[in-house]
């Protein structure tokens, strides 16, 4: 993994690692559908002016927009809404553990559809180790009733939807000459349209504009959606869907460290052990098999489509 990709992975983990907390706080004033609509709209409003200022233009062909709407459905509308529904009854820590199944879903789906059949011992061990580490951090067996609840199932379904989205975006949207920032702006625009259509499903109630809920929603939209999706698309483009999806293993690590540093939450020995397992798992997944100079003469960090 190139140094630039590693930096983007860490930044994305920081942005998304705090997302479970912001969703929990935003639910104090908004419904799940309202949260998804506002965060997608804010993300689009942040990225569209930047993309246009750089001289980029929205895609014009129907096929690309069709793929963008599908991507917005499985990467934004469905999982974001399911997370909001799930966290009404499930703690954010349990949500973090269930979300850590995303790389497993991604690897399975990518293998089944044939977009990524790189089956090495290091990748398999890394995926398993990362998930075990996430479980050790949050010890979900102490909250078994939440994991096995309807809220837990909703979050598990959201994680599977994320897995589908990584593979779908990697197959139909990346490496097609569209810069990541424009892909992100267009997808968030498509997602906003979908959520406007979904307003009748629990989004027409009057929100409670309390300060903590509004600020949390602003952070979710501007940083956790707009900025994060540019990083996400670049990672998928440069390193593939399975490797990019391992960012979800780092989210529990970020949540624990932020809780310890910001609000003085306790950090136990099991949490430290779990974080070490997660980092080891991510390192194993990122490890690529050795290639000969003849078969792969490209410089480190560049793919065959010019990415870095």
């Amino acid at each position: 993994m190139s140094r630039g990709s590693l930096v983007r992975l860490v930044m994305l983990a920081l942005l998304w690692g705090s997302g479970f907390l912001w969703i929990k706080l935003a639910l104090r004033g908004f419904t799940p559908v309202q949260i998804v609509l506002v965060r997608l709209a804010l993300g689009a409003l942040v990225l569209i002016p930047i993309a246009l200022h750089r001289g980029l233009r929205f895609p014009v062909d129907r096929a690309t927009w069709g793929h963008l709407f599908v991507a917005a459905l499985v990467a934004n509308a469905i999982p974001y809404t399911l997370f909001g529904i799930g966290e009404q009854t499930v703690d954010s820590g349990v949500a973090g553990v269930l979300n850590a199944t995303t790389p497993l879903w991604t690897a399975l789906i990518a293998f089944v559809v044939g977009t990524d059949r790189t089956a090495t011992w290091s990748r398999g061990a890394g995926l398993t180790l990362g998930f075990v580490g996430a479980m050790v951090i949050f010890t979900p067996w102490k909250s078994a009733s939440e994991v096995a609840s309807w809220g837990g199932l909703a979050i598990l379904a959201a994680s599977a939807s994320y897995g589908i989205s990584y593979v779908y975006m990697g197959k139909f949207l990346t490496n097609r000459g569209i810069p990541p920032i424009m892909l992100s702006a267009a997808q968030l625009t498509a997602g906003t349209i979908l959520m406007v259509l979904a307003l009748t499903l629990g989004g027409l109630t009057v929100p409670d504009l309390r300060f903590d809920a509004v600020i949390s929603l602003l952070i979710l939209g501007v940083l956790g959606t707009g900025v994060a999706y540019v990083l996400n698309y670049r990672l998928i483009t440069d390193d593939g869907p399975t490797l990019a999806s391992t960012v979800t293993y780092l989210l529990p690590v970020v949540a624990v460290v932020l809780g310890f540093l910001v609000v003085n939450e306790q950090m136990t020995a099991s949490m430290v052990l779990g974080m070490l397992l997660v980092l080891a798992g991510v390192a194993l997944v990122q490890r690529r098999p050795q290639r000969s100079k003849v078969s792969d003469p490209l410089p480190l960090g560049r793919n065959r489509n010019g990415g870095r």
Side-chain angles (χ1 to χ4, degrees):
M1 195 177 206
S2 69
R3 183 178 300 176
S5 292
L6 182 60
V7 171
R8 283 184 281 274
L9 186 74
V10 172
M11 291 177 61
L12 190 58
L14 290 172
L15 291 174
W16 280 348
S18 58
F20 304 109
L21 174 62
W22 304 131
I23 292 173
K24 200 76 172 179
L25 294 175
L27 284 168
R28 295 177 177 179
F30 301 88
T31 67
V33 173
Q34 290 169 345
I35 291 173
V36 178
L37 171 60
V38 174
R39 71 179 292 189
L40 291 179
L42 286 175
L45 288 174
V46 168
L47 296 183
I48 290 174
I50 298 175
L52 296 179
H53 179 72
R54 293 184 178 182
L56 305 178
R57 294 292 178 265
F58 280 100
V60 294
D61 58 297
R62 294 182 179 180
T64 298
W65 274 106
H67 291 313
L68 285 167
F69 270 96
V70 174
L73 181 67
V74 296
N76 303 122
I78 290 176
Y80 286 4
T81 303
L82 289 176
F83 264 100
I85 292 172
E87 286 200 54
Q88 289 179 320
T89 57
V90 171
D91 288 341
S92 58
V94 175
V97 171
L98 293 173
N99 185 59
T101 62
T102 296
L104 304 178
W105 289 111
T106 305
L108 175 62
I109 295 167
F111 186 85
V112 169
V113 302
T115 59
D116 186 356
R117 291 187 172 173
T118 306
T120 63
W121 73 267
S122 61
R123 176 168 291 194
L127 290 169
T128 304
L129 198 60
F131 181 66
V132 170
M135 293 187 67
V136 171
I137 289 174
F138 286 120
T139 57
W141 47 87
K142 294 182 180 179
S143 306
S145 60
E146 292 186 46
V147 174
S149 66
W150 286 112
L153 292 176
I155 293 173
L156 190 63
S159 302
S161 187
Y162 279 146
I164 295 171
S165 73
Y166 273 104
V167 176
Y168 191 89
M169 291 187 289
K171 183 176 177 65
F172 294 108
L173 290 171
T174 61
N175 291 321
R176 294 179 180 271
I178 306 175
I181 190 170
M182 179 49 74
L183 277 176
S184 303
Q187 182 180 319
L188 295 179
T189 300
T192 301
I193 295 172
L194 291 176
M195 293 312 299
V196 168
L197 298 176
L199 271 180
T200 54
L201 303 175
L204 296 179
T205 60
V206 179
D208 180 5
L209 301 179
R210 48 185 292 168
F211 180 78
D212 55 352
V214 172
I215 293 299
S216 298
L217 194 48
L218 287 173
I219 294 173
L220 274 173
V222 175
L223 298 178
T225 306
V227 175
Y229 251 82
V230 177
L231 299 173
N232 188 50
Y233 257 121
R234 182 64 183 271
L235 281 171
I236 296 173
T237 300
D238 289 359
D239 299 288
T242 300
L243 295 180
S245 69
T246 57
V247 68
T248 57
Y249 283 159
L250 296 174
L251 306 190
V253 176
V254 173
V256 170
V257 173
L258 286 178
F260 177 73
L261 294 177
V262 178
V263 291
N264 297 318
E265 290 183 351
Q266 183 181 12
M267 184 178 294
T268 65
S270 64
M271 289 179 177
V272 175
L273 173 61
M275 287 189 286
L276 293 175
L277 291 175
V278 165
L279 295 176
V282 171
L284 284 173
V285 174
Q286 301 293 351
R287 182 180 179 183
R288 294 183 185 275
Q290 294 292 328
R291 297 179 181 176
S292 66
K293 293 183 179 180
V294 175
S295 64
D296 190 5
L298 297 177
L300 179 64
R302 287 188 176 271
N303 61 33
R304 299 185 184 275
N305 296 284
R308 294 189 64 182

